[in-house]
Amino acid sequence: SQQGEEDPQALSIQEGENATMNCSYKTSINNLQWYRQNSGRGLVHLILIRSNEREKHSGRLRVTLDTSKKSSSLLITASRAADTASYFCATISSGTYKYIFGTGTRLKVLA
Amino acid sequence: GAVVSQHPSRVICKSGTSVKIECRSLDFQATTMFWYRQFPKQSLMLMATSNEGSKATYEQGVEKDKFLINHASLTLSTLTVTSAHPEDSSFYICSASAALSGANVLTFGAGSRLTVL
């Protein structure tokens, strides 16, 4: 399977704490993207990091990418109850058009 | 921003009937759309890639005759689950690729939950 893996599978934290999710992938990539899915809904694009970038920020989101280890992390700072959702990383293998999604992390932020 | 509309959001049908799910790109043209299936608490599984004006490309293990995909225009792709059975019950999500800052990102529909009785 080309599917990437994410850990942890589930994460429960208190509001105000930081949440870190990790993603590993298997192939060479052009970029890596993170998506969020609220329960029973479609996915929403959060942030994209290119293969030549190591870190990227967007609001309370911080993404890192280590292409040598084929891994990425998503950090959500000062979490809020509204951040409760599933988070997926997605990659497109070089030379293809297919998006491969990781297994996802279910984040629960307790108020 | 790019918007993808998907409907119906929920559908319940009897075993043996066919169900059609529509996916529309509202403010952009999508030559390629993707159809995913998602089981509870699991990731998205790519079923097929829908190409405007040509046949869809199905992933290994996905039955072409079971899941009919039509992409007749640059803004509409449909997935028809033919002769549905309870094991076809799932969450189906479509998406289209749109350019963002020089890279392609996926814009998703809200998904369709199919329940086959």
Side-chain angles (χ1 to χ4, degrees):
Chain A
S1 169
Q2 294 293 311
Q3 188 174 49
E5 293 186 6
E6 291 180 56
D7 77 273
Q9 289 188 352
L11 178 62
S12 185
I13 60 174
Q14 295 292 324
E15 205 166 29
E17 294 180 340
N18 296 341
T20 300
M21 292 157 258
N22 303 295
C23 163
S24 62
Y25 56 92
K26 298 182 179 180
T27 63
S28 297
I29 61 171
N30 292 323
N31 64 67
L32 183 142
Q33 303 175 28
W34 284 89
Y35 289 80
R36 165 193 167 130
Q37 183 182 32
N38 285 352
S39 180
R41 303 289 294 174
L43 280 71
V44 174
H45 177 262
L46 292 177
I47 192 167
L48 177 153
I49 185 165
R50 300 176 193 277
S51 59
N52 62 353
E53 297 177 311
R54 293 295 168 259
E55 188 171 310
K56 199 162 183 180
H57 296 253
S58 177
R60 293 185 296 113
L61 305 180
R62 174 180 165 240
V63 170
T64 63
L65 179 64
D66 186 335
T67 52
S68 66
K69 295 181 179 178
K70 290 187 166 58
S71 68
S72 174
S73 68
L74 170 68
L75 169 68
I76 303 175
T77 61
S79 64
R80 306 166 182 168
D83 294 328
T84 295
S86 292
Y87 292 83
F88 296 91
C89 65
T91 58
I92 304 178
S93 297
S94 300
T96 78
Y97 56 85
K98 297 181 185 180
Y99 292 74
I100 305 298
F101 284 83
T103 50
T105 294
R106 296 191 308 279
L107 172 66
K108 188 170 186 178
V109 180
L110 303 171
Chain B
V3 177
V4 171
S5 173
Q6 181 177 347
H7 73 91
S9 58
R10 292 178 179 272
V11 56
I12 301 172
C13 69
K14 293 182 178 179
S15 187
T17 60
S18 295
V19 174
K20 180 185 284 188
I21 301 170
E22 291 190 350
C23 182
R24 293 179 184 273
S25 57
L26 297 186
D27 50 1
F28 67 103
Q29 293 182 332
T31 54
T32 302
M33 289 186 176
F34 303 93
W35 286 94
Y36 292 87
R37 182 173 181 175
Q38 185 178 34
F39 292 103
K41 296 185 179 179
Q42 292 191 24
S43 187
L44 282 73
M45 180 190 78
L46 179 64
M47 298 175 64
T49 302
S50 169
N51 301 296
E52 186 270 334
S54 64
K55 292 182 179 180
T57 303
Y58 290 81
E59 293 301 301
Q60 191 172 9
V62 178
E63 298 177 58
K64 300 179 183 181
D65 296 331
K66 175 70 159 177
F67 300 100
L68 298 178
I69 291 173
N70 183 275
H71 196 154
S73 76
L74 286 171
T75 59
L76 174 64
S77 176
T78 61
L79 166 68
T80 300
V81 183
T82 63
S83 187
H85 289 94
E87 58 265 29
D88 299 324
S89 298
S90 191
F91 191 58
Y92 295 89
I93 315 175
C94 69
S95 68
S97 180
L100 177 67
S101 300
N104 288 327
V105 299
L106 289 179
T107 299
F108 285 84
S112 299
R113 184 162 303 283
L114 171 63
T115 302
V116 184
L117 303 176

